[in-house]
Amino acid sequence: MIAEKIKTFKNTIPDTVTLVAVSKTKPASKILEAYNTGHLVFGENKVQEMESKWQELPKDIEWHMIGHVQRNKVKYIAPFVSLVHAVDSPRLLKEINKQAKKNERVIKCLLQIKIAEEDSKYGLSKEDAFALLASENYKNFEHVKIVGLMGMATFTDDKLQITSEFESLKKTFEEFKKEDPNIEILSMGMSGDYTIAIEKGSTMIRVGSAIFGERNY
Ligand SMILES: *Cc1c(COP(=O)(O)O)cnc(C)c1O
């Protein structure tokens, strides 16, 4: 089942789009089913859960932290995380830089931009994100590299609203790219809205339930 889903995704999405298989709440055995098809990119949203799966599973897996990260937990993922999707403050970026330095690594990060209507969604305004990218502080951080933007659309059936939120993030992405040539990843699209996201220029989709089935919390 999972292997079939992974293969179908890979055959249908464009080559320019990376699939992050979101395995949160799912056991290591399910991740291995996907891994055994040759898929290496997995997303988790909880620090402890990602760390214990990293310990247990093959070391060539690329672990993406897609959820909000508390600063005091960065140290647990700094030794191995391959991309942090949801950087939403200068202080978090500073802590990632510090922990990456301790591990003699450069950690790639995305800035999370708030595009949804709901108040509950984390993320920076476009202006604050731009200020962070252009800041002296960031220029002095040698152990983090901002390589793109991430956003989550409003949870709604209104396709027009989702479309316009993704369009606005894509526009912001193009502006950021002009500012910094390292900006190349646009992480947008989940199980319910990835087709719209790809249409609107996503280069990375984060898909959980459409691969692994519904989550039981
Ligand atoms: C859980 C999660 C996803 C995947 O959600 P699905 O709807 O199951 O595809 C994507 N992005 C983030 C940030 C998530 O927390």
Side-chain angles (χ1 to χ4, degrees):
M1 263 288 268
I2 290 170
E4 284 310 310
K5 293 260 165 67
I6 291 273
K7 285 181 197 157
T8 307
F9 262 97
K10 293 223 165 142
N11 287 333
T12 46
I13 64 176
D15 290 345
T16 50
V17 178
T18 301
L19 172 66
V20 180
V22 176
S23 48
K24 61 191 189 195
T25 78
K26 301 295 178 183
S29 59
K30 301 280 180 194
I31 297 175
L32 277 176
E33 281 184 47
Y35 174 84
N36 287 334
T37 69
H39 188 77
L40 296 178
V41 185
F42 293 88
E44 291 283 336
N45 72 338
K46 297 231 158 57
V47 166
Q48 272 94 349
E49 184 177 345
M50 185 161 96
E51 194 205 2
S52 71
K53 286 173 174 171
W54 167 67
Q55 302 267 11
E56 183 175 353
L57 287 159
K59 291 297 173 284
D60 58 344
I61 288 180
E62 293 169 32
W63 293 102
H64 287 207
M65 174 43 69
I66 63 171
H68 183 72
V69 192
Q70 286 174 305
R71 274 177 293 136
N72 61 358
K73 293 190 177 163
V74 173
K75 56 178 178 282
Y76 300 113
I77 58 171
F80 68 93
V81 68
S82 80
L83 183 64
V84 180
H85 283 236
V87 172
D88 63 355
S89 75
R91 290 161 83 205
L92 176 58
L93 192 66
K94 185 177 176 190
E95 179 64 17
I96 298 170
N97 184 64
K98 180 178 157 190
Q99 298 299 335
K101 184 175 180 182
K102 279 190 188 162
N103 287 277
E104 296 175 8
R105 302 186 63 213
V106 174
I107 296 180
K108 291 181 182 180
C109 296
L110 307 179
L111 298 178
Q112 182 174 3
I113 309 288
K114 184 173 157 37
I115 53 171
E117 250 179 13
E118 299 123 71
D119 286 337
S120 63
K121 296 267 159 80
Y122 292 106
L124 292 157
S125 67
K126 173 184 150 184
E127 291 73 23
D128 288 348
F130 201 84
L132 178 52
L133 184 68
S135 67
E136 275 310 309
N137 268 344
Y138 171 55
K139 291 191 177 114
N140 292 323
F141 290 162
E142 290 175 359
H143 295 270
V144 283
K145 186 164 148 194
I146 298 171
V147 294
L149 305 180
M150 178 269 212
M152 286 170 86
T154 303
F155 190 70
T156 172
D157 289 331
D158 184 346
K159 290 208 158 57
L160 285 177
Q161 181 171 354
I162 296 170
T163 302
S164 93
E165 289 173 359
F166 284 156
E167 261 170 6
S168 100
L169 185 56
K170 164 72 170 167
K171 219 174 123 216
T172 303
F173 175 64
E174 293 302 330
E175 290 168 21
F176 277 55
K177 256 171 110 163
K178 279 187 201 141
E179 171 71 18
D180 183 336
N182 290 320
I183 301 287
E184 54 184 13
I185 296 174
L186 179 55
S187 167
M188 63 181 195
M190 314 182 12
S191 293
D193 57 21
Y194 70 88
T195 43
I196 303 176
I198 290 172
E199 228 175 77
K200 293 300 156 194
S202 171
T203 72
M204 188 172 274
I205 55 174
R206 310 176 308 270
V207 180
S209 43
I211 293 170
F212 293 103
E214 292 303 316
R215 287 177 292 274
N216 310 303
Y217 286 99

